[in-house]
Amino acid sequence: PRPQTSPPPPSLCIESYPGRASVESSKDALISITFASGPTGSSLSVFPSRQMASVSENPKMPVQSRPTKSSSSSRGSSGGGSSSLPYIHPSDTSSHLSSSFTPQQYLQRMTDLQQMDLQSAIDQMRTLLSLYPQRVYKMAYYRKQTKNHWARDDPAFCFLQIVMILASSIAYGFAFRIPSLSAIVGFVVKSVLIHWLGFGVIMASVGRLVANQHLMTTERSSNHVKQSVEWLYAFDVHCNAFVPLFVLLYGVHFFLLPLVLGTSLLSLGVSNTLFAIAFSWYFYITHLGYRALPFLSNTEVFLFPIAAILAIYVINLVGYPFGLGW
């Protein structure tokens, strides 16, 4: 009689492609491995194959299924035995796969232009100024799937914002005829450290605190790994929301200085309209950033400040004849 042999163990093949993730495994493989490579570094993640099925079906991602030499040799050495690959339970995957990304690495990359993708940052800023700013937050979802963190690991976005604030602050210094160079430097440092960084640290800390303590979803399955809002992601949300605010209050406002510095009702209306639109846009994009996280609910609370902005705006216009506008 013909001897019975067990089926060969599932094969697994890994290949890297610059700038994208690649997943390659046989149909019955127990695990799938994702390797992401880019200008800011690379990362390796291991997942159960059934979790990565949706990734392998993506037509944009190159997927091949051919055994490697190592898998062929393992078949011969196993002699038809069972696979030596261990089974990874879905609930254990995310808990054991932690991100190696740290704030120290983030700051180190900011000092090296070769580590930053400036063109991608510019494209994201354009998207934030378009009618569909929520598209920027899709990249955060892809980062979570490939690198296991939501925040940007490319400091190009922050670097460009700092450069723009420096340029605009110097322009305002010359426009207001600041006499000394030290006064201009102080104004520039104040704009970066207080208007952008200080305001961002406060908004990121408050937003993260509110989200983690009051907006976490309560319905969780047994295989769901508990997540929380990363502080760096909350700061990313601030940086995204700061883009339209910068365009209106640092760019458009600069060219309207002869008008907005007046004392007439028109000057008051134009100036207050710019500020109302800028901060309303800021909180709207902030809301989109927290709404993009699947483990948060009731993120509409980040839209509540817009009601206060509109109330102040109306009070300024109505109270102008009575000396209440500013």
Side-chain angles (χ1 to χ4, degrees):
R2 189 174 183 178
Q4 296 181 356
T5 59
S6 58
S11 61
L12 180 66
C13 181
I14 310 168
E15 291 186 1
S16 64
Y17 295 86
R20 65 177 69 181
S22 63
V23 179
E24 188 169 333
S25 62
S26 64
K27 181 178 180 181
D28 300 325
L30 296 178
I31 62 174
S32 297
I33 297 181
T34 303
F35 182 79
S37 175
T40 58
S42 59
S43 61
L44 184 69
S45 304
V46 182
F47 300 90
S49 58
R50 60 177 177 270
Q51 282 188 297
M52 299 302 295
S54 60
V55 180
S56 61
E57 293 174 359
N58 189 346
K60 297 182 179 180
M61 187 174 297
V63 179
Q64 303 174 0
S65 298
R66 63 176 183 272
T68 59
K69 294 181 180 179
S70 60
S71 61
S72 300
S73 61
S74 64
R75 293 179 184 177
S77 61
S78 60
S82 60
S83 173
S84 60
L85 294 174
Y87 176 74
I88 302 177
H89 195 273
S91 61
D92 299 333
T93 304
S94 299
S95 60
H96 291 291
L97 292 175
S98 59
S99 173
S100 59
F101 174 67
T102 60
Q104 290 77 10
Q105 295 176 347
Y106 188 88
L107 295 176
Q108 290 176 357
R109 293 176 183 178
M110 189 175 289
T111 60
D112 188 359
L113 289 177
Q114 295 181 354
Q115 294 281 339
M116 295 183 285
D117 189 353
L118 299 178
Q119 184 59 47
S120 176
I122 294 174
D123 293 339
Q124 292 179 49
M125 290 182 180
R126 292 176 180 174
T127 304
L128 290 168
L129 297 174
S130 67
L131 297 177
Y132 305 98
Q134 63 272 16
R135 293 178 178 175
V136 172
Y137 294 107
K138 290 184 179 180
M139 299 300 298
Y141 176 78
Y142 298 147
R143 283 192 297 269
K144 180 62 177 177
Q145 297 300 316
T146 58
K147 301 182 180 180
N148 200 32
H149 60 81
W150 296 94
R152 291 187 181 98
D153 50 6
D154 184 1
F157 200 90
C158 291
F159 176 79
L160 287 180
Q161 285 195 335
I162 293 175
V163 171
M164 292 188 300
I165 294 175
L166 289 176
S168 63
S169 300
I170 295 175
Y172 271 96
F174 285 109
F176 287 104
R177 299 179 180 179
I178 298 179
S180 62
L181 180 60
S182 60
I184 295 179
V185 172
F187 180 71
V188 170
V189 172
K190 177 182 177 182
S191 299
V192 174
L193 296 183
I194 298 179
H195 296 170
W196 178 73
L197 183 59
F199 178 63
V201 168
I202 294 175
M203 295 302 299
S205 301
V206 173
R208 179 177 180 268
L209 181 65
V210 171
N212 287 337
Q213 292 191 0
H214 304 286
L215 304 181
M216 301 292 291
T217 55
T218 56
E219 297 180 0
R220 298 180 180 272
S221 62
S222 58
N223 293 332
H224 194 284
V225 179
K226 185 177 180 180
Q227 301 185 65
S228 61
V229 179
E230 306 165 1
W231 190 90
L232 282 178
Y233 177 79
F235 189 77
D236 269 351
V237 172
H238 157 72
C239 292
N240 293 337
F242 193 83
V243 171
L245 187 145
F246 172 85
V247 171
L248 291 177
L249 299 187
Y250 287 79
V252 177
H253 191 270
F254 177 81
F255 295 101
L256 297 178
L257 281 178
L259 176 61
V260 298
L261 291 179
T263 57
S264 63
L265 179 60
L266 178 61
S267 300
L268 175 68
V270 172
S271 179
N272 286 349
T273 300
L274 282 177
F275 275 84
I277 295 176
F279 281 98
S280 298
W281 205 341
Y282 177 91
F283 286 107
Y284 173 69
I285 295 182
T286 300
H287 156 70
L288 294 178
Y290 289 99
R291 192 182 69 174
L293 300 179
F295 52 88
L296 296 182
S297 61
N298 301 323
T299 55
E300 294 79 9
V301 297
F302 293 102
L303 296 175
F304 291 169
I306 298 179
I309 293 173
L310 294 178
I312 296 175
Y313 178 77
V314 173
I315 292 175
N316 271 271
L317 293 181
V318 175
Y320 177 79
F322 305 99
L324 299 178
W326 68 86

